[in-house]
Amino acid sequence: MDRIAIIGGARLEGEIPISGAKNSAIKLMAASLLTEDALRLTNMPRLADTRFLGKLLERLGTEVVESEGADGPETLLRTREIVSAIAPYDLVRQMRASFNVLGPLLARTGQAKVSLPGGCTIGARPVDLHLQALEALGVQIDLHEGYVYAQAPRGLQGGPIDFPIASVGATEHAMLAAVLAQGDTVITNAAREPEMIDLADCLNKMGAKVSGAGTATIHIEGVSRLHGATHAVMPDRIETGTYALAAAMAGGEVRLTRTRSDFIQALLDKLSEAGVEVTPHNDGLTVKRNGARLRAVEVDTAAYPGFATDLQAQFMALMTLADGESVIRETIFENRFMHAPELSRLGADITVSGGEARVRGVDALEGAQVMATDLRASVSLVIAGLAARGETMVNRVYHLDRGFERLEEKLSACGAQIRRISGGGDEE
Ligand code: UD1
């Protein structure tokens, strides 16, 4: 299993190009099931998660062709015919977002059997809202032996979908199904994350009629068929925020390009409050910090446009060296502080109680062996390692490979002393 070794203390200077958004790319890939024509996705991130979904789509009948286009990595997806409407446990369990193939399979074939994703390390994460949305579209659902058996014998029927809580995955799933339903669908209390807009834009290019994405109410006028399209995946706002935090932690000046600063405004406000200089520009932003110690600031995670839960672990890493006590409240997921004990191994002073972590800034961190527990937690350990004295060894980095493209390359191009050690055992 690969590990990542970091020698802390190097300032970061240079430019980091941001990749296409993982969380958007995987929903866009699922959208390709909705048409027999080709969907060409540009600005595709090359990640374990996108490769993994590609494998599942191939099982369902999609041809998946990756190539290097004029503007970076592309993927061409074409599902002439659904050859299987079954998504088995061994594939869905590895990536929760695979569950989102259920809606498109139903829209295209009227029936599907998809495994329940099961729990995961950041809390229970049920799919009740996904199923509620599909039922509102006339789908009959039975649950047996860990599988969802879903049928829409008369096709999907548009209808009102009112979510009790805003869910990113369920809102996207509802859109993916309702675009081919008969009649109109109105989704209320929809998630407002920028990925909703990216998915709606792509679906509209394919001939769908979606409006209001990015607001709490989304209107969808069902159409009878969709066609092929070309769509550029939006920039990854979590990767953008992560490198902004890396630069703030290590010190120096880093220009983040091919991205948008407005997607991470809540983080940028907190960075400024903490004493980091942030300058937005047309193509992204520049993050700068010279010498002075950062101030501790409080953060509550929230749905967009609030502070992203996917940046909470990385922000906690930054706060370990700030002056004073920072209170970080996680409001989206239960059990999302697994990085806290690992950061403590590096010398951080953190107390977790329920959904709240108190981080008392220390003068220095010291490198140690640590273990990645989930995607965002693992990158928080890398960020801490950039500023820790001596060597930090991050074990179990397959989590990182799910969501961060060429992380060591991007950071070392800015002067970080970071390298991947392939194979070998880890500390388990
Ligand atoms: C997506 C992102 C993830 C991010 C999260 C919140 C992807 C692939 N993942 O996850 O990186 O951290 O949004 O921004 O896009 N819930 C239910 N029932 C459901 C669905 C969700 O109770 O059927 C709950 C969840 O347990 C959680 C909350 O709703 O407490 C929000 O989850 P949701 O927005 O659905 O997150 P994901 O789509 O899983």
Side-chain angles (χ1 to χ4, degrees):
M1 221 178 289
D2 289 4
R3 299 184 286 172
I4 284 187
I6 306 148
I7 312 262
R11 287 161 60 82
L12 300 184
E13 304 283 345
E15 187 172 309
I16 300 183
I18 300 300
S19 302
K22 169 186 90 82
N23 282 354
S24 199
I26 52 189
K27 318 305 166 50
L28 296 168
M29 289 173 76
S32 71
L33 291 170
L34 293 166
T35 173
E36 57 201 59
D37 298 342
L39 176 64
R40 178 169 155 251
L41 297 175
T42 63
N43 196 34
M44 272 293 286
R46 296 280 185 243
L47 297 165
D49 272 10
T50 49
R51 262 197 306 279
F52 178 77
L53 185 60
K55 291 270 169 291
L56 171 60
L57 292 176
E58 281 173 347
R59 282 272 275 268
L60 304 177
T62 311
E63 265 173 67
V64 181
V65 181
E66 295 189 343
S67 62
E68 228 12 70
D71 200 26
E74 296 186 7
T75 302
L76 195 74
L77 301 116
R78 180 157 198 182
T79 319
R80 288 188 171 84
E81 197 189 345
I82 305 283
V83 297
S84 162
I86 301 173
Y89 176 64
D90 59 326
L91 291 179
V92 179
R93 140 185 96 78
Q94 295 180 49
M95 189 178 71
R96 183 183 156 81
S98 311
F99 190 70
N100 280 29
V101 300
L102 175 58
L105 286 175
L106 280 166
R108 189 90 179 261
T109 68
Q111 45 113 12
K113 176 185 167 188
V114 173
S115 171
L116 288 163
C120 84
T121 51
I122 58 171
R125 292 181 97 177
V127 287
D128 53 327
L129 303 176
H130 296 239
L131 299 180
Q132 178 200 319
L134 294 174
E135 280 175 334
L137 299 177
V139 177
Q140 293 161 13
I141 288 174
D142 287 303
L143 303 178
H144 297 296
E145 295 158 350
Y147 276 84
V148 177
Y149 291 78
Q151 284 196 34
R154 293 179 302 110
L156 298 172
Q157 310 291 326
I161 301 175
D162 182 26
F163 285 120
I165 54 169
S167 154
V168 167
T171 303
E172 290 165 330
H173 208 162
M175 274 198 265
L176 283 166
V179 285
L180 283 180
Q182 277 172 40
D184 294 354
T185 298
V186 180
I187 306 173
T188 43
N189 199 16
R192 294 179 292 154
E193 272 65 7
E195 289 76 13
M196 304 307 115
I197 303 176
D198 206 31
L199 179 59
D201 284 351
C202 177
L203 290 169
N204 287 340
K205 285 179 196 163
M206 294 167 72
K209 294 188 173 158
V210 182
S211 59
T215 75
T217 307
I218 301 177
H219 291 261
I220 299 162
E221 200 182 310
V223 296
S224 57
R225 80 174 284 277
L226 295 180
H227 50 72
T230 296
H231 181 78
V233 180
M234 65 176 268
D236 196 314
R237 62 195 170 95
I238 304 305
E239 191 195 20
T240 308
T242 298
Y243 288 124
L245 283 157
M249 186 69 163
E253 182 169 342
V254 176
R255 191 178 166 91
L256 304 173
T257 58
R258 299 176 63 93
T259 186
R260 282 175 51 170
S261 62
D262 56 328
F263 286 158
I264 51 163
Q265 194 54 51
L267 167 68
L268 299 185
D269 292 345
K270 291 293 172 186
L271 283 176
S272 304
E273 224 182 287
V276 180
E277 222 179 284
V278 176
T279 316
H281 48 76
N282 278 349
D283 190 31
L285 64 151
T286 297
V287 180
K288 185 172 168 187
R289 181 164 81 85
N290 291 325
R293 194 164 181 198
L294 295 179
R295 290 182 288 278
V297 295
E298 300 209 352
V299 160
D300 289 8
T301 63
Y304 190 83
F307 191 101
T309 172
D310 287 350
L311 291 171
Q312 178 259 107
Q314 300 89 313
F315 197 81
M316 187 183 291
L318 182 71
M319 288 295 104
T320 59
L321 288 179
D323 185 19
E325 182 181 85
S326 160
V327 181
I328 299 177
R329 289 179 208 89
E330 173 57 55
T331 71
I332 306 292
F333 290 112
E334 54 190 91
N335 196 17
R336 204 179 198 183
F337 285 134
M338 274 102 56
H339 42 284
E342 297 300 311
L343 289 169
S344 300
R345 288 178 58 76
L346 301 173
D349 181 358
I350 305 169
T351 320
V352 173
S353 162
E356 186 176 287
R358 287 179 179 270
V359 187
R360 286 163 293 275
V362 292
D363 291 337
L365 297 176
E366 209 181 335
Q369 294 267 354
V370 285
M371 191 176 74
T373 50
D374 73 39
L375 171 55
R376 312 303 176 185
S378 45
V379 84
S380 77
L381 301 172
V382 172
I383 290 178
L386 291 173
R389 287 192 194 128
E391 187 179 75
T392 298
M393 182 74 78
V394 183
N395 293 289
R396 285 201 193 173
V397 297
Y398 59 86
H399 288 293
L400 269 182
D401 297 332
R402 286 188 43 212
F404 289 92
E405 188 177 33
R406 297 179 288 110
L407 172 104
E408 320 84 89
E409 210 180 290
K410 289 187 183 188
L411 283 172
S412 53
C414 293
Q417 291 198 45
I418 177 168
R419 72 199 160 93
R420 176 179 290 255
I421 301 166
S422 298
D426 67 13
E427 292 296 294
E428 281 178 89

